[in-house]
Amino acid sequence: MKEIQETTGILNDLIAIHNDRIAGYQTALKELKTDDTDLERLFTGMIGESQDIRETLAAEVRSAGGDVERGTTVAGRIYRAWMDVKAAFTGNDRKTVLANCEAGEDAAQNAYKMALKEDGLPSYLREVLTSQMQSLRASHDEVRALRDAA
């Protein structure tokens, strides 16, 4: 029973990270200029990616009899507030938006690294999380490349 609670706790932490990621990219979409259609497509795709991953994780939590996390992390709320403050001083320029998004992607990578270090995580879930982390890494690298080009 303890292992199931620990596993659902790990999965719910990752669900909260994806809730943060969705909210962060929704905020980023609001900060885009009208000519940033490439970023609009990218951020919309990343929102969809997190929604899909979140649903996969939620299904695992439900199958273990747990309650699915609905909120965001405290750090995520603080991060989004900082994005809003920082944007007010920088004029919502493309590079700043991308730098903020990359910081969020770094946080997601770190959350997955920590989750994968946990003992007692079933091997099939370890494979699922590893695959999700690789997908998120590709998104991170795309955001970083765009930031560097800005």
Side-chain angles (χ1 to χ4, degrees), residues 74-129:
V74 172
R77 287 189 292 270
I78 292 168
Y79 169 74
R80 284 188 302 283
W82 172 244
M83 269 182 75
D84 292 341
V85 169
K86 194 172 181 182
F89 291 105
T90 60
N92 300 345
D93 68 277
R94 182 179 175 98
K95 188 168 188 161
T96 299
V97 169
L98 287 165
N100 287 331
C101 291
E102 184 184 11
E105 292 299 315
D106 287 341
Q109 286 294 305
N110 288 334
Y112 271 82
K113 286 177 188 173
M114 288 172 42
L116 288 166
K117 287 181 182 176
E118 291 292 326
D119 294 333
L121 196 62
S123 61
Y124 80 95
L125 278 179
R126 194 171 296 283
E127 290 174 23
V128 168
L129 297 184

Side-chain angles (χ1 to χ4, degrees), residues 7-74:
T7 298
T8 59
I10 292 166
L11 297 178
N12 270 322
D13 287 347
L14 294 175
I15 288 169
I17 290 293
H18 283 283
N19 290 341
D20 286 343
R21 192 171 184 254
I22 290 164
Y25 280 114
Q26 288 169 337
T27 298
L29 282 170
K30 293 175 192 169
E31 296 178 8
L32 295 179
K33 299 199 180 339
T34 54
D35 58 339
D36 286 329
T37 56
D38 61 330
L39 295 184
E40 183 178 352
R41 281 189 304 275
L42 177 65
F43 295 168
T44 300
M46 290 176 161
I47 289 168
E49 176 183 45
S50 271
Q51 289 169 332
D52 291 345
I53 290 172
R54 180 181 63 189
E55 186 49 43
T56 298
L57 297 172
E60 291 296 333
V61 170
R62 283 191 295 271
S63 74
D67 293 324
V68 177
E69 177 63 48
R70 299 278 179 225
T72 58
T73 64
V74 172

